[in-house]
Amino acid sequence: MSELLIFERGQPGRSASAQFPRHESAHELPAQFVRSEPPLLPEVSELDVVRHYTRLSQMNFSIDTHFYPLGSCTMKYNPRGCNSFASLPGFTQRHPLAPESSSQGFLTCLFELQEMLKSVTGMAAFSLTPMAGAQGELAGVAMIRAYHVDRGDIGRTEIIVPDAAHGTNPATATMCGCTVKEVPTRADGDVNLDVLRELVGSQTAGIMLTNPSTLGVFDKNIKAIEEVIHAAGGLLYYDGANLNAILGKVLPAEMGFDVMHINLHKTFATPHGGGGPGSGVVGAGETLKPFLPIPVVGTTANGYRWLDEADLPKSIGRLSAFMGNAGVLLRAYIYMRLLGREGLERVADYAVLNANYVMVQLRKAGFDIVFPDRRASHEFLVTLKRQTKSKGVTAMDFAKALLDRGIHAPTTYFPLLVPECLLIEPTETESKQTLDHFVAAMTEILAEAASSGAQCKDAPVTTPVKRLDDVRAARQLDVRYQPPETDGGAQIVNAAAD
Ligand SMILES: *Cc1c(COP(=O)(O)O)cnc(C)c1O
């Protein structure tokens, strides 16, 4: 018995009283809606349920149990206190349609969050409504489009995106009806300015940039990029999914950006991964402020209120029900209140220090750092091209071998332009001991790879699920349960086949 499915733990007639269907309510339903057979629910006791799900949760990698250096994702520790305060009954029991008069506490938090986000970015205003990073991007590029159209400049339909960009950037530009123009990266990690100059013109709507980039370096020519784009009549979008490297150090507005989003679920205290709730708040400078999505929290003579269509007639409109992901917004607010200005700056200090420490230690251990002459931001890139060529040990093999050592794999094969890469982001919340343990594990795997490489090919061997056939897992996903009686013994059928 694999015990991965709760159905496999069931015994006919066993039940948990709290889950037992209330038969009498069935009689109140019109006959045609009452099912003729009972649903195929697992027949388990409450204790079975508790043990089953507790055991499943222990099979997972999580920040609470393992080091998780997943580049571009900022898997750091999120203080429990942020969650406790955001879970106060006054917040969780507030109805989203409650009138402003009885929502002044909630509106105060959101207004102050907008103000704090302005001060960490230099933007003129924020809207808290996007529900994820990608939706924040959608808002930002829609605002750039709306701005050009509003001025009657309707031919600006091209968005420039570096080849190192996160996949959501070109996807967003396309979703907004724009054409993507890719600008290449130079060997030193910076955007190729010469090509950029040739790409811009009267058709340029703007550029989407991550800085520090997803290559882990801060573009030395950011001011020159700004001049090229603005001189061509375009605007600059800042992908601020991860602000860990720059908090309190440099403002995207000072770099010349007109609009940006921040993933509160990466930088500001909401646990994520596995598709948890997110927030991609969007900020704008003076030029794009009128186009922000609604609602935005504004002030009245003696309190706060939602600004809507009447206040912001040029707004790109609404992106989410109500006002965004309230729980995520509140955790970010509390996190910033807990840390204060100095604490936020410390986040950047340690995020960058930890990344550079691990980068230097790995270089000493014999790893090839992709940009050895650049200082790391909150993350950096290693390439295993050499190991792949000599022994056939790939970045994926390294990632799997780390799982056997109790470490979540770094991001693999991203950015796409660096072959056999690992994007490593240690974050500021890890101790030197944990970082040293990671370096030791990496060094051990490197030695294995140098000898025969065979061990790495079998990894992982200690995890509940061993090495998967990636293609079959994607193409022939088996996730549907079929009880044994009805199909003659096969417990799981191939959903993709029917
Ligand atoms: C995570 C990330 C995104 C997308 O954020 P989602 O909330 O997953 O939509 C965009 N850009 C960068 C650089 C990211 O790291």
Side-chain angles (χ1 to χ4, degrees):
M1 187 151 75
S2 72
E3 306 231 325
L4 282 172
L5 297 174
I6 193 162
F7 292 91
E8 293 165 338
R9 299 184 64 81
Q11 290 291 324
R14 189 173 288 168
S15 72
S17 53
Q19 294 180 310
F20 202 73
R22 294 227 313 277
H23 288 301
E24 59 277 18
S25 60
H27 299 302
E28 292 157 17
L29 291 171
Q32 72 267 35
F33 297 129
V34 178
R35 54 189 313 151
S36 51
E37 285 169 28
L40 290 171
L41 294 175
E43 296 185 271
V44 285
S45 72
E46 197 165 318
L47 179 57
D48 283 336
V49 174
V50 169
R51 288 201 179 136
H52 177 73
Y53 286 108
T54 304
R55 186 161 38 235
L56 279 191
S57 76
Q58 288 167 342
M59 289 178 180
N60 266 338
F61 267 79
S62 69
I63 309 165
D64 289 349
T65 52
H66 299 89
F67 180 44
Y68 213 123
L70 191 65
S72 205
C73 294
T74 313
M75 303 301 279
K76 60 185 181 180
Y77 171 69
N78 300 293
R80 289 294 191 275
C82 298
N83 194 50
S84 314
F85 287 116
S87 308
L88 288 173
F91 290 132
T92 53
Q93 289 170 23
R94 179 188 164 274
H95 193 282
L97 289 175
E100 286 160 349
S101 59
S102 60
S103 305
Q104 286 299 306
F106 181 62
L107 287 169
T108 306
C109 295
L110 297 194
F111 182 82
E112 289 182 4
L113 174 61
Q114 289 174 183
E115 294 298 301
M116 290 190 286
L117 292 170
K118 280 159 63 177
S119 85
V120 296
T121 59
M123 291 289 148
F126 262 86
S127 165
L128 307 177
T129 176
M131 304 285 249
Q135 207 185 27
E137 291 177 34
L138 186 79
V141 176
M143 288 162 67
I144 290 176
R145 285 285 291 141
Y147 163 81
H148 291 309
V149 171
D150 185 57
R151 293 166 62 244
D153 199 354
I154 54 170
R156 292 189 179 270
T157 54
E158 286 182 6
I159 294 280
I160 299 168
V161 178
D163 53 2
H166 194 271
T168 48
N169 292 184
T172 295
T174 309
M175 291 271 291
C176 286
C178 294
T179 312
V180 175
K181 290 282 156 187
E182 195 174 271
V183 59
T185 303
R186 291 191 322 215
D188 66 356
D190 287 339
V191 164
N192 190 320
L193 261 178
D194 298 330
V195 178
L196 184 68
R197 287 198 183 93
E198 283 165 22
L199 279 179
V200 297
S202 59
Q203 74 291 355
T204 304
I207 189 169
M208 298 181 85
L209 268 187
T210 311
N211 193 36
S213 72
T214 48
L215 300 166
V217 299
F218 191 98
D219 201 303
K220 293 190 296 289
N221 304 316
I222 190 65
K223 272 310 202 189
I225 294 171
E226 188 237 320
E227 282 163 24
V228 171
I229 299 293
H230 278 155
L235 296 177
L236 287 92
Y237 182 90
Y238 186 87
D239 179 339
N242 320 290
L243 283 196
N244 256 21
I246 65 158
L247 276 180
K249 303 294 179 188
V250 58
L251 307 176
E254 279 177 351
M255 296 183 222
F257 286 90
D258 302 286
V259 56
M260 68 178 294
H261 86 271
I262 303 171
N263 279 17
L264 296 184
H265 50 288
K266 285 181 181 165
T267 311
F268 297 103
T270 281
H272 64 288
S279 169
V281 294
V282 58
E286 292 298 341
T287 317
L288 290 182
K289 193 175 154 181
F291 302 93
L292 278 170
I294 45 176
V296 173
V297 185
T299 50
T300 65
N302 49 13
Y304 301 97
R305 70 177 180 89
W306 296 113
L307 304 181
D308 59 18
E309 290 86 345
D311 305 286
L312 294 162
K314 289 187 178 178
S315 164
I316 58 161
R318 287 172 192 270
L319 291 172
S320 62
F322 312 115
M323 82 309 276
N325 244 329
V328 183
L329 300 174
L330 288 167
R331 279 192 284 271
Y333 169 70
I334 295 153
Y335 183 68
M336 284 200 251
R337 293 292 298 254
L338 279 177
L339 292 186
R341 191 173 286 274
E342 281 176 19
L344 288 177
E345 207 171 320
R346 226 166 30 237
V347 167
D349 289 340
Y350 283 96
V352 173
L353 178 65
N354 284 359
N356 280 279
Y357 174 72
V358 176
M359 182 172 85
V360 170
Q361 295 304 105
L362 289 181
R363 183 165 57 204
K364 283 188 198 159
F367 282 92
D368 295 334
I369 308 298
V370 177
F371 300 107
D373 302 328
R374 305 294 294 265
R375 197 164 64 165
S377 58
H378 56 292
E379 59 193 355
F380 65 95
L381 272 169
V382 162
T383 176
L384 299 158
K385 203 167 73 177
R386 208 156 42 90
Q387 288 74 15
T388 307
K389 220 170 169 186
S390 63
K391 298 279 179 186
V393 181
T394 63
M396 186 56 74
D397 298 327
F398 264 79
K400 302 291 186 194
L402 279 170
L403 300 179
D404 274 337
R405 289 162 174 84
I407 295 169
H408 191 282
T411 296
T412 53
Y413 300 97
F414 172 78
L416 300 174
L417 71 155
V418 182
E420 298 301 331
C421 66
L422 297 177
L423 181 61
I424 301 170
E425 180 180 6
T427 81
E428 78 282 12
T429 53
E430 299 296 338
S431 67
K432 181 169 178 297
Q433 285 73 19
T434 303
L435 302 182
D436 287 338
H437 170 68
F438 172 69
V439 172
M442 286 286 284
T443 309
E444 202 177 283
I445 301 167
L446 191 64
E448 279 181 17
S451 59
S452 79
Q455 273 159 295
C456 310
K457 285 282 167 203
D458 292 335
V461 294
T462 61
T463 50
V465 178
K466 307 291 181 283
R467 177 97 51 134
L468 286 174
D469 178 336
D470 294 340
V471 176
R472 273 194 60 212
R475 296 276 159 83
Q476 303 174 355
L477 188 62
D478 288 352
V479 289
R480 203 176 65 175
Y481 175 75
Q482 194 93 66
E485 317 75 277
T486 57
D487 74 345
Q491 297 222 322
I492 300 174
V493 298
N494 185 351
D498 348 351

